[in-house]
Amino acid sequence: MDIWGYIEFMVNIIDVSLLLYFTYIILGKSKLPYKRAAAAIILQSTINTILNGCFGIGNLISFSLMYFSTGVIYHLLFGWSLVKIYICSIIGLLIMGISETAAMTAVLCIGKASAYWFYHPNIHRMTAVILSKALSLLIIYSNKDRFKNIDKIEDIRLYQFALITGFNVLIGFIAFWFYKYTYITRGYKSWYIILMSLASISFSVTVLSILRKISDQLKKETEWKLKEREFERQRFYISAIEDMLRQIKAQRHDFNHHISCIYGLLRMGKTDEAKAYMEKLTQYLSSFNNIISAGDPIISSILNAKMEKAYKEHIKCDIDISIPHKLNLEFWVISIVLGNLLDNAVEACTNIHEDMRRIAVTIHIRQDHLIIKVSNSKDRKIIMPESSIDENYSAKEDKANHGFGLPNIKKTVENMNGFIEIKDMEDTFEVDIAIPY
């Protein structure tokens, strides 16, 4: 391989790197593994160099094979969706095609070079290559925040846009074809090539402008959705606070009755009865007034509301929580999962004797997952079948209106790419959940 062969290989490395960078901006959800990225770049660059050597530069068959192999390699090494890789690649190739067309047209006009030179090793081609790669990187980097929104576009709209982009790339190939076979327009080839280039660039810029507007609109929609979700969270907080205020008012109302009852017993000289009454009241209030502060306000609200029900049913509760002050999860996810788990636990405990009623709740973060474990005592006679997690199972007589808890929990957890496991240990029922955090 001569010096120009090595230069050609380096150009392919730059092309593949730019396309990988563009695809990663859109599809990358975590840090790009450098070893896999290097392997993908070297492998695809080698394939591109071999295909260019066999079919020549600007050949449609060569391009199709490069395009196909790029999708397969990225899919195997990074696990991205094959369809989305091809869609991202065609958009990235459009950007690179605009840059190359603009760079070659500039060199053709300013340097008064022949279009024939762009298909053979020379200084004019290298100048155009440097300009085009720099322009591609500038376009991609300066618009990376907009390109990130491409993955949020609805599939049907994305496919339609990919079809238009593919047609645009085909027009670019026609422009390259005129560059390569300029003898077709020999009499007035310079202005004809410039005209074709401008037409191709104009169409490409129009397509990218449409994509930019779609991306901006999606960004605005995302911001509005975030504001809407935050508003819903605030409504949830306010509702929880209002519930706590109602509880406090109810306690104060009940407390007045308790004071009246104790006062009446003391006036009648029934000191022992008054003392026993006060002991029970103290025990009740000590458990009832334990306000749980879990860090995250939503979890705190749910726990306080559900634990109040548990205390009223004389259920002993053990709470172990270690989480950040605000979880990066949708409020409705926590509400469905934790709310249903605690409702099920309280319901199960009411079917057994008061002395045996227990609920244990453990919530913490481990390996980027929110771990929720809820266990409760239950009646040995009630056996939870394995199908209960998929079916609307309930031990109540009114089965038509109950038993939706576990299926709802499972569906919500699986939608969040999480895991759920249930254990029926005769007198204890346990649910373990892990949700990506």
Side-chain angles (χ1 to χ4, degrees), residues 1-65:
M1 184 183 292
D2 58 10
I3 184 64
W4 289 108
Y6 287 109
I7 292 174
E8 190 69 41
F9 183 66
M10 290 303 299
V11 170
N12 285 327
I13 287 179
I14 296 172
D15 282 336
V16 174
S17 299
L18 283 171
L19 192 58
L20 176 59
Y21 175 58
F22 178 78
T23 308
Y24 170 71
I25 287 175
I26 301 172
L27 300 180
K29 304 299 182 185
S30 58
K31 189 175 180 181
L32 188 69
Y34 295 119
K35 291 183 179 179
R36 293 184 184 179
I41 291 169
I42 296 299
L43 179 58
Q44 188 58 50
S45 299
T46 303
I47 293 173
N48 292 1
T49 304
I50 294 171
L51 290 173
N52 283 336
C54 295
F55 295 95
I57 297 172
N59 183 276
L60 185 58
I61 297 176
S62 175
F63 170 79
S64 300
L65 292 173

Side-chain angles (χ1 to χ4, degrees), residues 374-414:
V374 177
S375 62
N376 58 270
S377 51
K378 71 176 188 67
D379 189 346
R380 286 174 173 265
K381 298 177 181 178
I382 300 176
I383 306 297
M384 294 290 291
E386 293 183 3
S387 61
S388 63
I389 198 169
D390 296 308
E391 300 174 358
N392 299 333
Y393 175 83
S394 175
K396 293 183 177 180
E397 294 182 1
D398 184 13
K399 297 181 183 293
N401 296 313
H402 296 89
F404 294 96
L406 278 176
N408 283 348
I409 294 170
K410 182 188 177 187
K411 183 178 179 180
T412 303
V413 171
E414 289 181 345

